[in-house]
Amino acid sequence: MESPDFSKQSTDKAVLAETLQHPLTLGFATIGIFGGAASALFSLGTLPALVGVGGASLAALSWIVNYMFRKEIFAARHIQKLQTMLDEHRRETVRKIETQLKELEGEPGLTTYCQQGAEQFHRSKQRYENLAQILRSKLSTSELTYSRYLGTAEQVYMAVLDNLLQVVHSLQSIKPIDSVYMNERLKILNEIEPKTDADLKEVNTLEDRKNLRDQQIELINQILTNNEEAMTMLDRTAASIALMRAGVSQTEQGLDDAMKDLEDLAKRTTRY
């Protein structure tokens, strides 16, 4: 799924779009357009013109009321929609990782990566829940800011899970490649002199297979390293927020500053 954006800028854009497309706003705007068009095209007198002006005015009034006075309601709906999408994606991803990691347990040459993946699977959840608890200690759960920050934290947590799912898929792709067999066979072939065409072809085939496995292992290592970076950022953000004193006027600005790096990391997740 496309990574959701819980940032204030993205939320403001979504609210602007939703209030402009509100049924009442669109309805009155349509009346205004038809009234103005009828007056201009058919010379029906002042009534269509008044209808056009009235429709346009009501459309503008509807938008002003929604955007200026009901903005928090629309923003909360937007955040809730993103949260629901993310929660559904998280449940499905967790199920897949748990199932597929179990299937890979004990596979020769893959144990280390399975163990690190399992560790990250559990520790990333702990870090997300820890940050959520700290946010609850600083903000009311009914506040829009709390929901937005929590969504950003969950987005980073989901990036870790999505990366782990990619690790699982990469491990599955090289599961049939027996590195012990390849190395033993290459050793035997390299000792043969002179080599036949069949021997040379087998060497090339085995080396291609070995390179493929090495490339996947390198990718797995990079993904696991990115996950460590994400978990460190969750730790750093939690520690920064925990040090803030509740009730001071700078708290909200401090939270914005503390969450900025986390938001930046969340925006980079699609490149992992």
Side-chain angles (χ1 to χ4, degrees):
M1 63 172 286
E2 182 180 353
S3 184
D5 189 347
F6 288 88
S7 67
K8 187 177 185 302
Q9 294 83 353
S10 178
T11 302
D12 288 343
K13 288 180 181 178
V15 170
L16 176 61
E18 190 169 349
T19 52
L20 285 172
Q21 296 169 20
H22 189 273
L24 280 178
T25 304
L26 290 177
F28 286 132
T30 301
I31 293 172
I33 291 171
F34 278 111
S39 176
L41 294 174
F42 303 111
S43 302
L44 298 178
T46 59
L47 181 59
L50 290 174
V51 170
V53 172
S57 300
L58 289 173
L61 180 61
S62 172
W63 177 78
I64 290 171
V65 169
N66 284 328
Y67 189 76
M68 300 300 294
F69 302 103
R70 303 180 69 227
K71 187 174 182 178
E72 291 292 312
I73 296 174
F74 284 92
R77 288 178 187 170
H78 172 69
I79 294 296
Q80 183 58 50
K81 181 180 178 181
L82 294 182
Q83 193 72 57
T84 300
M85 293 168 54
L86 205 56
D87 288 345
E88 291 175 356
H89 181 52
R90 173 167 51 82
R91 285 192 292 270
E92 180 63 16
T93 304
V94 165
R95 184 189 64 78
K96 289 179 179 178
I97 293 173
E98 287 179 327
T99 301
Q100 295 174 21
L101 271 179
K102 286 182 180 179
E103 294 174 356
L104 290 165
E105 284 180 359
E107 286 294 328
L110 305 182
T111 304
T112 300
Y113 306 106
C114 288
Q115 288 177 343
Q116 186 176 1
E119 279 288 317
Q120 289 187 352
F121 179 73
H122 295 295
R123 293 185 182 278
S124 59
K125 181 181 180 182
Q126 292 173 350
R127 283 161 167 78
Y128 163 69
E129 291 177 344
N130 178 58
L131 179 53
Q133 181 178 357
I134 292 173
L135 282 171
R136 285 194 294 271
S137 71
K138 300 294 181 180
L139 296 168
S140 168
T141 55
S142 61
E143 290 184 52
L144 180 62
T145 303
Y146 167 80
S147 298
R148 187 164 58 82
Y149 287 161
L150 184 64
T152 299
E154 186 171 4
Q155 187 180 355
V156 174
Y157 170 45
M158 272 307 309
V160 174
L161 294 182
D162 284 336
N163 285 345
L164 287 176
L165 191 57
Q166 178 61 51
V167 166
V168 168
H169 291 162
S170 295
L171 289 171
Q172 287 175 328
S173 74
I174 60 175
K175 176 182 173 181
I177 303 177
D178 189 336
S179 59
V180 175
Y181 166 79
M182 283 191 304
N183 291 331
E184 289 179 350
R185 188 63 189 152
L186 282 170
K187 182 179 179 181
I188 293 172
L189 289 168
N190 287 329
E191 291 174 352
I192 296 176
E193 289 296 342
K195 294 180 177 64
T196 65
D197 289 344
D199 293 333
L200 292 171
K201 185 175 181 180
E202 186 177 356
V203 168
N204 290 334
T205 299
L206 290 171
E207 287 180 344
D208 285 345
R209 197 186 309 165
K210 185 176 184 296
N211 289 335
L212 177 62
R213 187 181 189 278
D214 291 343
Q215 289 169 4
Q216 287 296 309
I217 292 296
E218 183 179 354
L219 173 64
I220 289 167
N221 279 323
Q222 183 60 54
I223 292 174
L224 292 172
T225 298
N226 287 338
N227 276 356
E228 295 295 339
E229 177 192 1
M231 290 193 293
T232 298
M233 187 62 70
L234 287 170
D235 286 340
R236 184 180 296 130
T237 304
S240 180
I241 294 175
L243 291 175
M244 298 176 190
R245 289 187 300 162
V248 298
S249 59
Q250 291 83 7
T251 296
E252 186 171 345
Q253 181 60 49
L255 283 167
D256 282 337
D257 293 341
M259 293 296 295
K260 185 178 183 304
D261 288 340
L262 203 63
E263 288 184 349
D264 291 342
L265 179 62
K267 291 175 182 177
R268 298 201 310 268
T269 56
T270 54
R271 290 184 290 177
Y272 275 10

